Amino acid sequence: MSDSIKHECGIALLRLKQPLQFYTEKYGTAFYGLNKMYLLMEKEHNRGQDGAGLANIKLDIAPGKKYISRIRSNDQQPIRDVFSRVMSRFAELEKSHPEKLRDAAFLKENYAFTGEVFLGHLRYGTYGGNSIENCHPFLRQNNWMTRNLVVAGNFNMTNVDELFQLLIDLGQHPKEKADTVTVMEKIGHFLDEENQELFDYYKKQGYNNIQITERISKHIDLQRVLARATRDFDGGYAIAGLVGHGDAFVLRDPNGIRPAYWYEDDEICVVASERPPIQSAFNIPVDKINELEPGHAYIIKKDGSTALKKIREPQEKKSCSFERIYFSRGNDRDIYVERQNLGKNIVPLVLKSVNHDLENTVFSFIPNTAEIAFYGMMKALEDYLNDQKIAEIAALGAKADVQQIEKIIRRRARLEKIAIKDVKLRTFITQDNARDEMVAHVYDTTHGAVKRDIDTLVVIDDSIVRGTTLKKSIIKMLDRLGPKKIIIVSSAPQIRYPDCYGIDMAKLGDFIAFQAAVSLLKERGMYENHMDVILRKCLDQENSPKESVKNYVREVYAPFSTEEISKKIAELVTPDGTSASVEVIFQTIEGLHEACPGHQGDWYFTGHYPTPGGNKVVNKAFINYMRGKNERAY
C-alpha cells in the first residue's frame, strides 16, 4: 500500500495438553512452547510492529510460587526483544548445569515462562501512545487464582463512552476511558461475579474454603462470563484471555469482523489471527485449521478439554475485506487466490482505458504487497490475448504463413519491474519542499523499460487511501521515465468512509475520495447547501441511540458517479509539472465481492457498517470535519 496505514493486531494462544516432560522427550527441548510461540508471533509480525507481549501461566503450582509471567516490549524489534529477554534468564543455567535444561519439572519450578499456557500479542498503535503500558497482554491481578485475568486482543469498540459508563454503574472506578481497559474490566467484573456465585453456592453445601477453591476452578462457566460481559459490546473483536488457574478462551465478534483460526490435537490447542502462522509453526495442512465462527468462543478448560460455545447471536457475516486486500499474509491459500482475482477483475476497465493497445502499454506494480494482484492482472491479460490469438489464427485459414502465426503467438503483454524501494531515506531537514523532494526518491526506477512519449504505464496498487505518496513520490518517479500516460490501478474500490473497528483510518478529511467529492461540490456551487443539509441530519441524531442512527455521510457522494470521483482524484494526486496525463482506476464493488466472496465487510467503500456504532462514528467524523476538528470520531 503506497499510503502506509496502521491496522489490526495479532494474537497467538497456545495450550500444551501433555505433561511438559513429554515435549522434552519427543522434541528434544524443554522450550517447545516458547519456540512455537516465537514462530507464531514472527509469522504474524505483519500485524503489528509497534509492540509485542507474551504471557504464560503454569498449572498446579503450589501457593507461594509465581504462576503468571508477563513481558512486554515497545522496542524497535519488539518480538526479538521479548524472546531475547525471556531466554536470557536461562544463559547462566546453560553454563553451570546444562543438563537441567532438559528437566521440564525443574524449569517449571524455578523459571518463568515454562508453563503450559501461552498468550502472545503483536500491536499496531492505531490509538493512544506507543508506551509500554499500551502493549498487550493486560493483566488483572487478584490473590484468588481464579480471579486473575490476562487479556490480549485485536479489537476496537465504537461505544467506549457507553461501556465506560456501564463500568461506573457497576460501581467501578475505571482508571482511564479506553476500550482496552473497559474490555478487561467488563470481563473481569463478571469473572468476579462468577467466582462469588460459585463460592456462595458451595459454602451453603458445607465445603471449606480450600475445597471451594478447587471446585470453582473446575466449574467456572466461561460461556456465561463472556455472554454477560460482552452483551453491550459494539465493535470488531477477536479477544483472547487466560484465567489464572489455567482456563483459556478466544472470542470473536458476532459479525466476524476480526479474524481468528484454531487447531487442536492430542498435544496442543492453538489459536492465531491467521492460518499461515499455524500451518508454518506446526506443519499442519490448511484443511485441518478451523475458522472461529462469529459470535462464538473457543474455550479451553484447565483439564485440556475444549468446546465451541455461542456467546452472542451471530449476525450477518461481514468479515473485513481489507484483510484479503492487504492486511493478512498473502501466502494463505484462499487470500492468494482472492488477491489474484482482484487483479483479474479490474482488467476490463484497464483494457478500455488503454484502448486495447497492449503493444504500447507497460504493466507493473507498487508496492510489493500488490504483487499478487499484479499476477492476477497479467494472467487475465494473457487470457485476453490468447482469445485474440486463437481467433486471428483461425481467420488465417489453411494457407496460414508460419511467420504470420509466429508473429501472432509471440504477442504478449509487456510487464516490467519499474520501481525498486531503496533503504528508507531520512530527510534530516524539516522544510516541506525539501522533504517532498527527498520523499520523491524513496523508490528507484528501471530506466529504459518505457518508450518515451509512446508508452502508457499501468501500475497497480493495493488501495489508495490518502493519495499523499502518489502525489509526493510515485507519480513524480514514474513521470521521469517519460510515458505518454500513467494509469494508477487500485485493486480496492474508492475508500470513502472511516473505519472504527481497529484500522487507522478515522478522519474523513484524510481520504482522497472524500477530498475529490468536496472539490466537485465546490466546483459546481453545491458545497454549502449540500454539506449543510447533511450536517443538520447528522446533528439531529447526535444524541440518538446508536441503534436508530443512519449513515447520512453517504449523501456526500450521491451527486456524482464513481467515474467522476475517480477523475477528480487523478487531478488531485497529479503533481504540478507532470508531463504525462494521469488516470486513476478503482476496483468496482461488484469486483471486490466476486473476488472475496467470504469477506463482505465493505464499509470502507460503501458506508454499510455492520454494527450500529459504525453509523454513529461516521456521522461524528463528518461533524468533526465540518467543525474543523482534527480528531478521531471514537
Side-chain angles (χ1 to χ4, degrees):
M1 184 175 296
S2 56
D3 288 327
S4 176
I5 62 171
K6 292 184 176 182
H7 63 86
E8 300 288 330
C9 287
I11 55 174
L13 187 151
L14 175 62
R15 165 64 197 272
L16 304 180
K17 296 171 72 174
Q18 298 295 327
L20 292 177
Q21 194 63 30
F22 167 87
Y23 303 94
T24 306
E25 300 300 328
K26 182 171 181 179
Y27 298 104
T29 175
F31 304 113
Y32 175 83
L34 279 169
N35 291 342
K36 293 302 184 182
M37 284 300 296
Y38 177 69
L39 281 173
L40 284 169
M41 292 174 69
E42 277 290 2
K43 296 298 182 181
E44 289 193 298
H45 77 271
N46 56 295
R47 303 190 70 84
Q49 297 164 29
D50 289 336
L54 179 69
N56 178 247
I57 288 180
K58 300 177 182 181
L59 304 181
D60 301 316
I61 292 294
K65 293 282 188 178
K66 186 177 180 180
Y67 58 94
I68 300 179
S69 303
R70 179 188 63 162
I71 189 169
R72 298 178 294 176
S73 174
N74 60 348
D75 186 79
Q76 286 190 344
Q77 295 181 304
I79 303 172
R80 180 180 298 182
D81 183 51
V82 162
F83 283 90
S84 294
R85 288 159 60 192
V86 168
M87 297 306 294
S88 65
R89 63 195 69 201
F90 303 106
E92 285 300 317
L93 184 65
E94 185 176 23
K95 293 177 183 177
S96 59
H97 297 91
E99 73 281 359
K100 293 291 188 182
L101 293 178
R102 290 183 55 83
D103 187 340
F106 171 82
L107 293 172
K108 181 177 176 179
E109 182 74 13
N110 294 282
Y111 286 86
F113 295 98
T114 54
E116 294 88 344
V117 195
F118 296 87
L119 177 58
H121 185 266
L122 288 308
R123 180 175 187 269
Y124 254 132
T126 61
Y127 184 56
N130 283 331
S131 70
I132 198 74
E133 288 77 16
N134 295 114
C135 295
H136 303 209
F138 293 94
L139 179 59
R140 191 178 193 262
Q141 294 179 291
N142 194 285
N143 218 31
W144 280 41
M145 185 178 280
T146 51
R147 290 178 185 242
N148 282 279
L149 180 64
V150 184
V151 169
N154 171 19
F155 60 86
N156 202 82
M157 301 300 165
T158 70
N159 60 332
V160 175
D161 291 342
E162 178 186 349
L163 295 175
F164 182 80
Q165 186 60 48
L166 287 171
L167 289 176
I168 295 172
D169 294 341
L170 290 170
Q172 293 192 19
H173 190 93
K175 62 181 181 181
E176 61 179 291
K177 188 187 289 187
D179 56 5
T180 49
V181 173
T182 53
V183 165
M184 164 72 82
E185 293 303 329
K186 281 275 281 182
I187 297 173
H189 171 81
F190 288 104
L191 180 63
D192 286 345
E193 283 204 350
E194 179 76 5
N195 271 269
Q196 192 61 52
E197 290 171 11
L198 288 171
F199 181 89
D200 294 342
Y201 173 79
Y202 287 117
K203 196 70 172 177
K204 290 179 182 178
Q205 304 299 311
Y207 293 100
N208 64 40
N209 288 355
I210 294 176
Q211 292 171 326
I212 291 174
T213 297
E214 293 174 353
R215 279 161 177 77
I216 289 174
S217 70
K218 290 181 180 178
H219 297 293
I220 281 180
D221 186 348
L222 283 180
Q223 179 184 18
R224 189 163 78 120
V225 170
L226 295 172
R228 297 171 76 186
T230 63
R231 67 169 66 120
D232 300 303
F233 284 7
D234 186 296
Y237 50 87
I239 301 171
L242 314 178
V243 185
H245 68 290
D247 282 5
F249 66 86
V250 177
L251 167 69
R252 195 176 183 200
D253 66 82
N255 296 99
I257 295 170
R258 301 273 73 90
Y261 297 88
W262 62 273
Y263 167 82
E264 69 173 280
D265 57 27
D266 293 338
E267 297 181 9
I268 59 164
C269 302
V270 59
V271 186
S273 294
E274 299 182 32
R275 292 188 302 189
I278 300 176
Q279 291 178 253
S280 298
F282 297 96
N283 194 27
I284 296 167
V286 65
D287 57 1
K288 298 292 185 182
I289 299 172
N290 307 279
E291 182 179 2
L292 182 57
E293 290 300 312
H296 285 69
Y298 178 63
I299 295 173
I300 308 166
K301 296 295 290 180
K302 176 178 177 280
D303 63 8
S305 61
T306 63
L308 292 168
K309 296 290 187 179
K310 184 168 72 173
I311 305 302
R312 294 183 62 187
E313 197 63 39
Q315 303 299 309
E316 182 182 5
K317 191 175 181 185
K318 290 289 184 179
S319 301
C320 172
S321 57
F322 246 129
E323 285 281 348
R324 323 307 279 185
I325 296 167
Y326 172 69
F327 294 157
S328 295
R329 292 171 72 90
N331 60 331
D332 180 278
R333 178 190 65 185
D334 293 342
I335 291 175
Y336 185 77
V337 172
E338 290 168 13
R339 289 185 183 173
Q340 287 199 56
N341 286 336
L342 286 168
K344 172 185 174 183
N345 289 352
I346 207 163
V347 163
L349 292 176
V350 173
L351 286 171
K352 180 181 178 182
S353 180
V354 301
N355 199 27
H356 295 78
D357 178 12
L358 298 185
E359 183 178 348
N360 296 305
T361 303
V362 176
F363 295 89
S364 193
F365 60 92
I366 302 175
N368 288 342
T369 49
E371 187 174 8
I372 300 172
F374 173 74
Y375 292 155
M377 182 171 70
M378 297 312 297
K379 288 180 180 180
L381 288 169
E382 287 176 10
D383 290 342
Y384 164 77
L385 278 174
N386 286 338
D387 289 342
Q388 273 197 332
K389 291 174 185 179
I390 291 169
E392 289 178 26
I393 291 172
L396 292 175
K399 296 182 180 180
D401 181 89
V402 172
Q403 290 182 330
Q404 289 178 302
I405 296 175
E406 183 180 12
K407 183 179 179 181
I408 293 171
I409 289 176
R410 292 190 182 280
R411 193 164 69 242
R412 64 186 61 186
R414 296 165 59 197
L415 61 102
E416 302 288 352
K417 177 74 171 176
I418 289 294
I420 303 103
K421 191 168 187 178
D422 277 342
V423 176
K424 188 173 182 179
L425 294 174
R426 186 177 175 188
T427 61
F428 297 103
I429 45 183
T430 58
Q431 288 89 347
D432 287 342
N433 290 341
R435 184 192 300 112
D436 291 350
E437 172 64 18
M438 291 289 284
V439 169
H441 292 275
V442 167
Y443 289 90
D444 205 354
T445 52
T446 303
H447 296 277
V450 175
K451 293 178 289 186
R452 300 188 73 86
D453 301 320
I454 296 174
D455 283 341
T456 294
L457 182 53
V458 177
V459 177
I460 191 168
D461 195 352
D462 314 286
S463 59
I464 301 169
V465 186
R466 303 174 183 92
T468 307
T469 309
L470 279 176
K471 184 166 187 172
K472 291 188 175 183
S473 175
I474 291 176
I475 292 177
K476 289 181 179 180
M477 170 197 72
L478 299 178
D479 192 51
R480 289 198 296 267
L481 298 175
K484 179 179 66 176
K485 182 178 183 180
I486 298 169
I487 301 175
I488 303 296
V489 179
S490 169
S491 70
Q494 295 169 1
I495 297 171
R496 298 181 170 192
Y497 306 95
D499 179 70
C500 51
Y501 304 120
I503 300 163
D504 188 22
M505 298 193 298
K507 301 172 187 175
L508 268 175
D510 287 347
F511 302 137
I512 192 66
F514 184 81
Q515 295 170 28
V518 167
S519 294
L520 288 170
L521 288 170
K522 289 179 177 178
E523 287 176 6
R524 300 180 189 184
M526 301 167 59
Y527 178 83
E528 290 186 7
N529 182 62
H530 190 70
M531 298 290 267
D532 285 346
V533 168
I534 298 170
L535 179 60
R536 284 197 298 273
K537 290 180 178 180
C538 291
L539 290 172
D540 286 346
Q541 56 179 0
E542 192 172 14
N543 297 315
S544 301
K546 63 181 183 296
E547 289 75 16
S548 64
V549 173
K550 296 180 180 179
N551 177 7
Y552 287 114
V553 183
R554 298 181 71 214
E555 295 182 11
V556 171
Y557 303 95
F560 314 112
S561 67
T562 301
E563 292 73 22
E564 286 177 297
I565 293 175
S566 294
K567 184 177 179 181
K568 178 54 66 174
I569 289 172
E571 293 177 20
L572 294 177
V573 300
T574 301
D576 292 339
T578 302
S579 298
S581 63
V582 176
E583 183 177 354
V584 180
I585 297 174
F586 288 89
Q587 181 71 255
T588 64
I589 300 298
E590 295 75 19
L592 172 69
H593 289 172
E594 190 277 330
C596 309
H599 290 71
Q600 301 287 295
D602 61 5
W603 56 91
Y604 322 91
F605 318 114
T606 65
H608 296 309
Y609 288 89
T611 74
N615 290 334
K616 200 169 183 72
V617 165
V618 70
N619 287 341
K620 179 67 178 298
F622 184 79
I623 293 170
N624 287 346
Y625 173 81
M626 293 297 289
R627 289 177 170 172
K629 291 184 177 180
N630 186 30
E631 61 185 43
R632 299 166 65 92
Y634 59 91

